[in-house]
Amino acid sequence: MAPKKSTLPFVLIVLFALFLAIGINLGEVSSVLEKAIRVCLSCMGIG
Amino acid sequence: MPQLHGNRVMLILRRWIQILATVLSNAYWKFPFTKGIYQGNLKAVCVPGLNCYSCPAATGSCPLGALQNFMATLRPRFGAGHTHFGLYVIGMLGLIGSLVGRMPCAWLCPFGFLQELIHKIPSPEFEIPKPLTYIKYILLGLFIFILPLLVVDEFGYGITWFCKHICPAGTLEAGIPLMLLKPELRELIGILFHSKLLILALFLVWMVVSRRPFCRVACPLGAIYSLFNKVSVFRMTHDPDKCTLCGACYRDCPMGVKFYENANHYDCIRCLKCYQESCRFGAISYEVAGIPLLKALKRTAETDAPME
């Protein structure tokens, strides 16, 4: 039996890679860093 | 090919990868001296598993925390001309999900690893009712997206609802260690901290008697990855002609999945235990991009077999 192939996973890969690239391009990486280097009091349950 | 199913190579490999992922996600061992968290550039990268970025040893960011923060600050950022929708995090999670579905839960998540270790404590086994496994999708929609986006203060800022009210990983990895490291924080403890401690305690007890209860019931990150299980490049396959419905895969599954009912069930974390250890009839295999790897392995094994 020939293996069933689907193009959907590859379409999704391209789509999310595009999202990732746009996010990086918009400067979202620094937003993540900005939040992550501060102690998150909410995460601890006291914020 | 019974030797392919009988060996435990992949199970041992998975254990070592879990250890490595946990250590690499929490590799900042200077924290007892600095009394603070790691603040280097690696924190700009989200780890694929659930690992609180306020853990003193954490070297990366929690994707759930980052996602909530994008939602919570979307309005004021938009007002200031920054169109930050969290595409960086959504893209990363979607990319991983499209490739391997929920596999990071089994191989890379430190909190998943902890649950497996705690479940080794001998105890009676309690199955988790199926309706509870849908709660994670409600938590994902409500606590990760809707509430951080819609419930805002007068300046337009929301809060990270899941981190603040539920996340037991945050309490365990950040709350308790930072309370020990910074005595001044103890004065700020209120009912919220105690409620989060209670949630953590409940999950810890539940981990002893049930298999991966947090992953199955409450993890929004697992919920995101699970959406890709049916469409990912890596997929599990079931051969009904070889399956005897013996239920061995279900008994061994760390997520309580009945593989013979749905080979790419939303709770399957692709740990491959059923394939490697449970099924003695060759009914379980996996494929990459539609190419069955088990058959490829069998062909290799047959080719490599000594001539008689």
Side-chain angles (χ1 to χ4, degrees):
Chain A
M1 194 174 72
K4 197 170 64 181
K5 291 196 177 80
S6 167
T7 52
L8 184 60
F10 301 101
V11 173
L12 291 174
I13 287 171
V14 171
L15 179 73
F16 285 108
L18 199 64
F19 280 7
L20 184 68
I22 293 170
I24 293 169
N25 201 256
L26 288 174
E28 292 186 357
V29 178
S30 56
S31 295
V32 170
L33 180 65
E34 199 179 290
K35 168 74 179 169
I37 58 172
R38 296 201 197 111
V39 172
C40 168
L41 295 178
S42 289
C43 304
M44 297 167 60
I46 59 173
Chain B
M1 283 290 137
Q3 70 271 27
L4 286 174
H5 293 288
N7 71 54
R8 295 171 58 86
V9 173
M10 213 173 292
L11 300 178
I12 295 165
L13 177 69
R14 184 170 80 92
R15 194 58 86 214
W16 278 105
I17 289 177
Q18 283 179 301
I19 293 169
L20 190 66
T22 302
V23 170
L24 289 179
S25 303
N26 298 285
Y28 182 65
W29 290 102
K30 282 185 189 169
F31 73 85
F33 311 104
T34 62
K35 306 272 183 196
I37 64 171
Y38 169 68
Q39 295 181 314
N41 288 336
L42 274 177
K43 274 272 178 84
V45 180
C46 291
V47 293
L50 191 71
N51 196 70
C52 185
Y53 46 28
S54 283
C55 169
T59 45
S61 281
C62 172
L64 280 186
L67 206 48
Q68 286 169 85
N69 194 50
F70 276 118
M71 295 302 121
T73 58
L74 195 137
R75 290 190 202 193
R77 279 182 197 275
F78 201 72
H82 299 291
T83 45
H84 288 179
F85 300 105
L87 290 178
Y88 168 54
V89 184
I90 293 169
M92 189 207 82
L93 296 178
L95 203 53
I96 295 171
S98 305
L99 285 168
V100 292
R102 231 185 137 167
M103 198 180 245
C105 305
W107 295 73
L108 301 173
C109 179
F111 206 64
F113 182 36
L114 174 79
Q115 289 174 86
E116 283 185 9
L117 294 180
I118 290 179
H119 192 63
K120 287 187 181 298
I121 298 170
S123 73
E125 180 84 21
F126 288 94
E127 194 40 81
I128 296 173
K130 193 178 178 187
L132 293 184
T133 65
Y134 296 121
I135 291 175
K136 58 182 172 288
Y137 297 103
I138 298 169
L139 293 175
L140 171 64
L142 208 59
F143 281 67
I144 305 297
F145 290 101
I146 296 173
L147 291 174
L149 193 62
L150 298 184
V151 183
V152 294
D153 62 16
E154 67 267 36
F155 305 107
Y157 286 96
I159 59 165
T160 51
W161 280 76
F162 186 78
C163 296
K164 184 169 182 172
H165 295 282
I166 295 172
C167 188
T171 313
L172 183 69
E173 296 171 3
I176 296 170
L178 283 171
M179 289 293 168
L180 297 172
L181 278 176
K182 295 172 176 278
E184 66 273 18
L185 289 176
R186 290 176 209 164
E187 293 166 16
L188 302 172
I189 288 177
I191 192 159
L192 188 62
F193 184 76
H194 291 294
S195 73
K196 282 198 70 184
L197 267 185
L198 182 66
I199 291 171
L200 171 63
L202 287 174
F203 271 111
L204 288 174
V205 173
W206 201 359
M207 287 169 201
V208 178
V209 296
S210 294
R211 294 172 270 183
R212 285 187 175 240
F214 181 75
C215 304
R216 290 161 75 184
V217 173
C219 183
L221 186 57
I224 294 172
Y225 287 137
S226 76
L227 300 174
F228 295 90
N229 262 9
K230 284 196 188 299
V231 294
S232 56
V233 172
F234 182 99
R235 264 180 292 189
M236 302 301 295
T237 55
H238 175 240
D239 187 341
D241 296 333
K242 291 180 181 170
C243 182
T244 62
L245 299 175
C246 66
C249 52
Y250 168 64
R251 283 193 296 277
D252 288 346
C253 178
M255 296 291 277
V257 169
K258 289 176 179 160
F259 189 86
Y260 45 88
E261 288 181 356
N262 183 353
N264 289 290
H265 188 274
Y266 59 86
D267 267 346
C268 175
I269 52 173
R270 282 90 191 265
C271 66
L272 306 180
K273 192 175 182 184
C274 55
Y275 156 70
Q276 193 76 33
E277 196 177 62
S278 313
C279 187
R280 310 234 165 243
F281 305 100
I284 297 173
S285 56
Y286 54 88
E287 60 181 27
V288 175
I291 300 164
L293 280 203
L294 176 61
K295 284 180 186 165
L297 276 173
K298 278 186 172 176
R299 274 200 297 274
T300 309
E302 279 163 10
T303 313
D304 293 343
M307 299 282 281
E308 289 186 15

